[in-house]
Amino acid sequence: MSPIPKGTQADDTESPSVPASLKQHPKDGAARLRLERDAEFIEIGLGWVHGTYEEVFPRAAPLLSPSEAKLLTNLEFPRRRESYLLGRYAAKRGLLLLLNEPDGSRISVFSGAFDQPLVEYPSQRGVSITITHTQGLALGLAFPVGHPMGIDVERKDASRLAILVAQMTSAERAWAETSGLEEVTCATMLWTMKEALAKALTTGLMSPWEIYATGEWRCIGEGIWESRFLNFAQYRAVTWMADDAILSLALPRNSLLSPDALQVVATALRG
Ligand SMILES: CC(C)(COP(=O)(O)OP(=O)(O)OC[C@H]1O[C@@H](n2cnc3c(N)ncnc32)[C@H](O)[C@@H]1OP(=O)(O)O)[C@@H](O)C(=O)NCCC(=O)NCCS
């Protein structure tokens, strides 16, 4: 993993007080990031993991709460077992950093009425989590409950292009043609931006897709893009592109990520 730039705090795994289960692994990471908003700072905790169920299980199992461990045991399908384990592990890493809590099993991430992830932790501090997973990769972002956010990651998959394009508005299609981006890259970016917003809103994709329409797309760094939402002016999206995966974050429009924080997320995505 590349070094974490100044202004953000990488995994504090060098500290002797951190249990062995949290020690840094080349395929894991966590970083405390700061968002600037109205001259104040908001701390968030990003956790990520790349790997298979078998690779990750020995490191993740000690961080599961008893209820999470039981749920994992009851999951029937291997693909879901992997996404659940990786997602909970990435989430725990982000939460542990944000909460300064060394024991992952004291935190439980459970599902709400709309499958949205909710945090149970013996503290008054209002913390929430957003989780995303795709084959062999998961990210979890812990944030203050009053500052809603959502993340979504997708592998680029040309065989899904028709589905992705069918969900684009005519303005998005017109922009895609002039964006200079490969068609599947552009379509996947827009899809993840919308899914990220749907998670921030906790609607999931049960609402008409058009309401998540994007606009004012612009490149803000190498492989990093930003857009607005036409019907949700209070949010914006930031997208990171890696060779085969694309990650979007939906966040309150006026909350700013520093250039260093943008690079940390790019590192997390690449692994
Ligand atoms: C939310 C949704 C967009 C996720 O899309 P995806 O690309 O398949 O999956 P991702 O890996 O990116 O994200 C999955 C994570 O999103 C989170 N999530 C699920 N539903 C969510 C919601 N309504 N709001 C916020 N986050 C949600 C969960 O943490 C889930 O991981 P987990 O099940 O391991 O906890 C999609 O599953 C959806 O639309 N679900 C509908 C949810 C719903 O309305 N359910 C009610 C019962 S019918």
Side-chain angles (χ1 to χ4, degrees):
M1 197 181 72
S2 317
I4 301 295
K6 208 172 144 226
T8 58
Q9 188 177 334
D11 237 345
D12 46 7
T13 47
E14 297 310 312
S15 161
S17 64
V18 173
S21 58
L22 271 187
K23 296 293 180 198
Q24 193 162 316
H25 183 278
K27 295 284 183 184
D28 296 347
R32 200 193 308 261
L33 308 177
R34 287 168 104 200
L35 293 164
E36 193 178 341
R37 184 180 173 81
D38 300 333
E40 289 187 353
F41 289 103
I42 292 167
E43 288 209 320
I44 58 176
L46 178 70
W48 63 92
V49 57
H50 294 251
T52 63
Y53 180 91
E54 288 72 22
E55 288 163 356
V56 174
F57 183 81
R59 309 196 295 284
L63 302 195
L64 298 179
S65 68
S67 58
E68 290 166 335
K70 187 170 171 205
L71 203 152
L72 178 68
T73 310
N74 290 337
L75 291 174
E76 192 181 343
F77 299 105
R79 197 168 158 175
R80 179 56 182 142
R81 284 167 66 83
E82 179 174 296
S83 72
Y84 182 82
L85 183 77
L86 268 63
R88 287 299 181 278
Y89 182 52
K92 286 295 172 72
R93 294 192 73 98
L95 283 163
L96 291 171
L97 265 192
L98 189 62
L99 293 165
N100 285 319
E101 165 63 57
D103 183 358
S105 70
R106 278 168 49 85
I107 305 171
S108 200
V109 178
F110 64 104
S111 300
F114 304 120
D115 291 339
Q116 76 274 33
L118 298 167
V119 178
E120 188 175 88
Y121 179 63
S123 148
Q124 294 304 311
R125 204 163 151 199
V127 169
S128 197
I129 186 82
T130 174
I131 298 172
T132 185
H133 25 62
T134 183
Q135 305 99 295
L137 166 64
L139 298 105
L141 180 67
F143 55 90
V145 74
H147 186 269
M149 302 173 86
I151 52 173
D152 187 62
V153 69
E154 300 285 341
R155 299 277 180 202
K156 275 198 274 183
D157 179 358
S159 70
R160 290 186 66 221
L161 185 59
I163 298 170
L164 302 179
V165 171
Q167 302 299 343
M168 288 161 63
T169 64
S170 50
E172 288 169 343
R173 282 183 209 159
W175 169 73
E177 283 177 17
T178 61
S179 66
L181 292 168
E182 194 191 358
E183 196 178 10
V184 66
T185 301
C186 195
T188 309
M189 173 175 87
L190 296 174
W191 178 283
T192 59
M193 285 174 160
K194 295 171 186 181
E195 273 211 10
L197 177 64
K199 289 184 186 176
L201 299 172
T202 72
T203 50
L205 299 181
M206 304 297 281
S207 307
W209 194 253
E210 314 82 74
I211 67 165
Y212 305 118
T214 62
E216 297 181 42
W217 315 270
R218 64 187 190 110
C219 182
I220 58 170
E222 202 184 328
I224 309 177
W225 288 72
E226 180 185 73
S227 87
R228 296 284 169 84
F229 294 102
L230 302 189
N231 299 308
F232 297 91
Q234 68 274 45
Y235 285 95
R236 70 190 167 96
V238 180
T239 299
W240 291 260
M241 296 172 182
D243 286 345
D244 69 337
I246 295 187
L247 168 72
S248 286
L249 164 68
L251 74 167
R253 191 178 83 185
N254 296 330
S255 300
L256 305 175
L257 281 162
S258 69
D260 288 347
L262 290 172
Q263 288 312 314
V264 172
V265 183
T267 300
L269 181 62
R270 286 194 303 267

